[in-house]
Amino acid sequence: LMVFGKLVSGSEKNEQTRQVADIRSRVLEQECGLKIEAEPEAFCMYALAYEGDAPVATGGIAFDGESYRIQEVAVLPEFRRKKYGDFIVRLLIDKAMMSGAQTIEADVLQGAEALFQEVGFTETGIWYEKDGRQWQPMQLQAGNIHKCCNCGH
């Protein structure tokens, strides 16, 4: 099956944003118990990963005028351990870097730190609790992106 990715603006209302909303709801809300906005955020760009015709993962990147932040990376349970999370994070990093980002922030849900570390993120603060879950602030510097999935360079 062919794997491909798409970027979609949260301000659009189309099939892609419905797919983003569906994956966010299934993974973040129902599975993780997080409080999220029902609709994708208008000021956010979202990446979607497809396996064949099926949307299997999403994540967003927001820019508040100062900093870029990756958020709400979600992979459907039956498609995990297939590098879709890595694929989503890299699509979002590419988007930010093409827009001139020097650093990218992320508050990472406990258990997902390795995904972000593999790409080049490092811890920047102490763990905190939100929605009953533990989160780790992390940051990626533009020069520190690890180019491939597992070689450590």
Side-chain angles (χ1 to χ4, degrees):
L1 279 171
M2 201 169 117
V3 172
F4 64 99
K6 278 183 185 169
L7 285 166
V8 57
S9 166
S11 62
E12 295 176 39
K13 296 285 175 268
N14 56 28
E15 187 185 2
Q16 279 81 40
T17 47
R18 277 195 301 277
Q19 291 168 342
V20 167
D22 182 52
I23 296 171
R24 287 167 75 248
S25 171
R26 277 182 62 188
V27 174
L28 303 174
E29 212 168 19
Q30 294 164 27
E31 184 186 342
C32 297
L34 304 177
K35 296 176 179 71
I36 59 165
E37 297 294 325
E39 294 290 314
E41 293 177 35
F43 295 105
C44 206
M45 286 295 298
Y46 291 89
L48 270 165
Y50 293 85
E51 189 176 277
D53 293 330
V56 300
T58 189
I61 189 155
F63 179 61
D64 64 8
E66 285 180 19
S67 60
Y68 289 85
R69 176 173 296 277
I70 290 179
Q71 57 195 34
E72 300 183 341
V73 175
V75 182
L76 294 177
E78 58 270 34
F79 295 98
R80 288 182 193 152
R81 308 278 172 264
K82 291 174 137 192
K83 293 284 184 195
Y84 287 118
D86 185 274
F87 182 55
I88 289 290
V89 169
R90 287 172 190 280
L91 279 171
L92 296 170
I93 289 169
D94 282 348
K95 174 66 184 165
M97 293 297 165
M98 285 191 286
S99 304
Q102 292 305 303
T103 59
I104 301 174
E105 314 282 339
D107 287 356
V108 179
L109 186 61
Q110 186 172 21
E113 310 94 301
L115 165 68
F116 284 81
Q117 285 163 344
E118 279 179 18
V119 184
F121 277 82
T122 53
E123 297 175 5
T124 54
I126 57 169
W127 290 92
Y128 68 91
E129 189 177 317
K130 182 179 146 208
D131 292 346
R133 304 293 290 259
Q134 294 293 317
W135 302 81
Q136 172 67 60
M138 299 184 85
Q139 188 182 73
L140 175 69
Q141 302 286 341
N144 296 346
I145 300 169
H146 301 168
K147 295 295 186 207
C148 65
C149 299
N150 51 17
C151 70
H153 293 300

